[in-house]
Amino acid sequence: MDCASTPGEARAYGLACDRPLATPSHKREVDLSDKSRYEKPRLAVLGLGHVGLPTALGFVELGWEVIGADDDASKVAMIQSGKAPFSEPGLDDLLARGLASGRLTLVHCVEEAVRGATILFVCVGTPQKDTGEADLSQVEAIVRTIACNLNGYKLIVEKSTVPAITAQWIKRTLARFAKLGNGLGKLHPEFDVASNPEFLQEGKALENIFRPDRVMVGVESERARALLERLYRPLDCPILITDVRTAELTKHAANAFLSTKISFINMVADICEAVGADVTQVAAGVGLDPRIGREFLNAGIGFGGYCFPKDLRAFMYLGREHGVDCGLLAEVEKINLRRTEVFLKKVRHAVWVLRGKTMGVLGLAFKGGTDDIRESPALHIVKALLEEGVQLRVHDPQAMEASRQEIPPQAGRLEYCSSPYDAAREADALLILTEWQEYRDLDFRRLHELMEVPVIVDGRNLLDPEIVRTSGFEYLSMGRHDGAERPAIPVESAS
Ligand code: UGA
């Protein structure tokens, strides 16, 4: 049996591990002269970051032998010692089981991983250039390494988010460098390139791996299709098989659409605020329509993280390069960039002059459930407030260490606090910048006693206005009633 037969994460997510992995139709297509087509292939995951490590451990849990490779030797050593290099719920346990299983090999020599496996998942970073274009230099470097180490058939699978033309370049690069460097003297090295985009959300990565909504596989050969279907069949979800470009593009389209939903609701929040309506109820009302759906309609300080902002820009860049008007997405980005100013305006509205005030900040991560601060809207706001001369006392359940690296503590200006209560001490206002569930359950009466002025500005609409106000706070949030009287019609029309 190919998949895990022991109880574990896979079982915990309700996977049916006793399903046959080869269908009669695949058997018919197997070329018996090539053993790699029906033997159990070994996998390599190249790049052990937020996507690569959960992916590698997920496959190990499902029963596959996996070589995890990263050229950062200290990261590999850390993983080998049983410690994940970033925080992700359940990951440390999964790593412990993976290491104990004997099916996980960790190396920092990427060449070794390429030579030791048949299916190679490319999970390296695709950061952005100043132009918004995706920087594919890490992808190219890894593909050249693969090309020089082709010791048999390889299926190269793009998992990193890449623009919809990348597979073509991977194929050309493989063909070009394989001829030069594989030592086999082969003019036609055997490989396939496939796209299998990840749809992992930080904080829910394992749930997304073991219970995905869908798996998308873009292939150009029956062999690649059979191999990838075999990997994913134990996951009880739709498997969409497409051509490679379609799979590549789907990932960008999904992230662009989700970003659009967020900017849309943020625009609606501003209108709600202007006319005195409540955006959370509007979101509930429109979200009950199954054509719309309630998820990703939470108004606030905007979207951040390593994916949405850069993927949006890369998708616009791709569109522009091909003469497609991406004005819609440009607006999505513009609305998002404006959220910091919208929030600062609200803080000014709450406390009047900013300079010299002391404020507690709850939340630094780009969203709840992670220690990731990349493109965090919370940090944009922290930086803006420091520039305005506000003294900040900040807290985050997981992202303090990373934030300290990015913005070191400054005596009398920025202090990292060990608890939300410590952050609130003698503050003129308390700002909620990340949607950590634990901030919902704070003792508001205690907070009230600690603060100089009992004002809360909630950038994530995390708190229940009723509870906070009955605890004696002045409470402002995003696109919800703040208790102020508002005109029901525009002032110009009223006159
Ligand atoms: C996102 C996508 O949700 C994943 O499907 C995708 O696989 C991943 O990017 C990726 O490309 O790798 P992630 O970056 O982990 O996942 O974060 P999200 O949960 O999508 O949140 C992104 C940002 O939007 C956060 O700053 C969050 O606070 C914000 N957000 C989210 C809102 O402001 N409102 C919402 O309603 C939802």
Side-chain angles (χ1 to χ4, degrees):
M1 201 161 62
D2 277 325
C3 53
S5 53
T6 50
E9 201 74 30
R11 276 281 143 98
Y13 284 94
L15 296 185
C17 283
D18 47 1
R19 303 169 78 199
L21 287 172
T23 62
S25 66
H26 294 135
K27 279 184 186 152
R28 271 201 307 275
E29 282 142 10
V30 165
D31 171 3
L32 294 176
S33 65
D34 180 354
K35 285 204 291 184
S36 72
R37 296 191 186 205
Y38 56 92
E39 274 181 354
K40 191 172 172 183
R42 252 175 135 197
L43 322 184
V45 175
L46 311 177
L48 296 174
H50 283 82
V51 172
L53 184 57
T55 300
L57 297 177
F59 281 127
V60 170
E61 183 78 4
L62 291 169
W64 298 93
E65 271 189 54
V66 179
I67 309 175
D70 199 295
D71 55 13
D72 180 344
S74 61
K75 187 197 276 182
V76 172
M78 188 177 180
I79 298 170
Q80 186 73 65
S81 76
K83 176 104 190 68
F86 51 87
S87 160
E88 182 64 46
L91 197 62
D92 280 333
D93 287 349
L94 196 62
L95 174 57
R97 274 205 305 282
L99 290 169
S101 74
R103 292 189 297 275
L104 175 66
T105 308
L106 293 161
V107 294
H108 63 84
C109 172
V110 177
E111 289 85 349
E112 197 182 323
V114 172
R115 287 196 295 271
T118 303
I119 307 180
L120 312 176
F121 286 93
V122 176
C123 296
V124 293
T126 53
Q128 62 176 327
K129 298 183 190 169
D130 292 342
T131 52
E133 184 186 5
D135 176 353
L136 299 174
S137 52
Q138 292 181 49
V139 176
E140 190 194 25
I142 212 111
V143 170
R144 286 178 64 161
T145 304
I146 295 171
C148 297
N149 289 279
L150 289 173
N151 56 347
Y153 171 78
K154 305 284 171 189
L155 170 57
I156 296 104
V157 188
E158 302 167 346
K159 239 194 195 309
S160 310
T161 303
V162 291
I165 35 116
T166 306
Q168 295 306 311
W169 274 109
I170 293 182
K171 280 192 325 198
R172 282 171 77 175
T173 307
L174 281 169
R176 198 172 276 166
F177 288 94
K179 283 179 205 161
L180 303 177
N182 70 358
L184 299 176
K186 267 189 168 187
L187 279 180
H188 299 292
E190 268 197 300
F191 62 82
D192 278 307
V193 177
S195 166
N196 171 217
E198 52 82 19
F199 297 103
L200 308 185
Q201 261 181 290
E202 284 182 34
K204 290 187 185 168
L206 303 191
E207 200 181 318
N208 297 148
I209 283 177
F210 294 115
R211 298 188 64 181
D213 309 317
R214 77 299 204 189
V215 167
M216 189 100 193
V217 167
V219 285
E220 289 178 341
S221 79
E222 187 51 44
R223 188 179 192 174
R225 172 196 170 115
L227 279 169
L228 287 171
E229 268 197 308
R230 189 175 171 203
L231 283 188
Y232 287 113
R233 195 160 316 117
L235 304 175
D236 202 7
C237 73
I239 301 180
L240 269 80
I241 312 279
T242 66
D243 61 79
V244 176
R245 284 183 191 195
T246 302
E248 287 173 331
L249 197 136
T250 303
K251 173 60 196 280
H252 267 146
N255 277 3
F257 186 76
L258 291 168
S259 311
T260 304
K261 268 186 111 173
I262 299 169
S263 278
F264 175 82
I265 203 66
N266 281 332
M267 178 200 72
V268 173
D270 291 350
I271 300 176
C272 283
E273 222 164 278
V275 303
D278 183 326
V279 72
T280 50
Q281 289 173 25
V282 172
V286 298
L288 280 170
D289 182 334
R291 292 170 303 173
I292 298 173
R294 173 63 184 82
E295 285 193 60
F296 280 66
L297 286 180
N298 298 317
I301 55 175
F303 56 80
Y306 189 60
C307 304
F308 283 179
K310 94 174 158 63
D311 289 351
L312 193 64
R313 281 172 217 140
F315 202 32
M316 282 192 277
Y317 187 90
L318 182 73
R320 271 198 305 270
E321 257 199 326
H322 291 83
V324 178
D325 180 356
C326 291
L328 170 68
L329 300 182
E331 276 308 312
V332 169
E333 185 184 31
K334 201 167 126 198
I335 291 171
N336 197 52
L337 292 174
R338 268 205 312 262
R339 297 316 286 168
T340 297
E341 192 41 50
V342 168
F343 184 77
L344 286 192
K345 201 170 149 196
K346 198 172 279 292
V347 177
R348 276 191 208 99
H349 185 73
V351 304
W352 195 14
V353 176
L354 294 183
R355 185 163 298 279
K357 296 269 163 56
T358 298
M359 293 187 198
V361 167
L362 301 189
L364 300 165
F366 83 95
K367 65 172 185 177
T370 176
D371 59 355
D372 197 341
I373 53 159
R374 290 174 294 178
E375 297 239 16
S376 169
L379 284 199
H380 295 325
I381 289 169
V382 163
K383 286 176 187 165
L385 288 170
L386 286 173
E387 271 176 31
E388 294 270 358
V390 180
Q391 294 170 13
L392 296 177
R393 302 176 58 78
V394 303
H395 174 264
D396 188 284
Q398 288 187 20
M400 302 266 273
E401 211 177 298
S403 303
R404 252 194 219 105
Q405 307 289 325
E406 169 96 9
I407 322 178
Q410 301 162 35
R413 292 191 70 210
L414 173 65
E415 190 175 333
Y416 285 85
C417 300
S418 57
S419 77
Y421 300 103
D422 192 17
R425 206 175 292 280
E426 290 171 16
D428 296 297
L430 190 62
L431 315 179
I432 299 191
L433 301 186
T434 305
E435 61 273 45
W436 284 104
Q437 288 309 307
E438 62 191 84
Y439 292 152
R440 270 182 205 273
D441 307 322
L442 290 172
D443 178 343
F444 291 101
R445 300 222 177 262
R446 185 173 160 203
L447 281 177
H448 190 284
E449 279 166 25
L450 288 166
M451 289 176 66
E452 182 73 21
V453 185
V455 171
I456 293 181
V457 188
D458 182 353
R460 297 292 195 165
N461 289 348
L462 188 71
L463 307 182
D464 181 335
E466 192 68 21
I467 295 176
V468 187
R469 290 202 181 110
T470 51
S471 306
F473 281 94
E474 194 180 322
Y475 175 70
L476 288 85
S477 55
M478 309 298 281
R480 299 198 288 186
H481 302 294
D482 59 12
E485 279 301 313
R486 303 220 173 262
I489 48 174
V491 179
E492 304 91 274
S493 342
S495 58

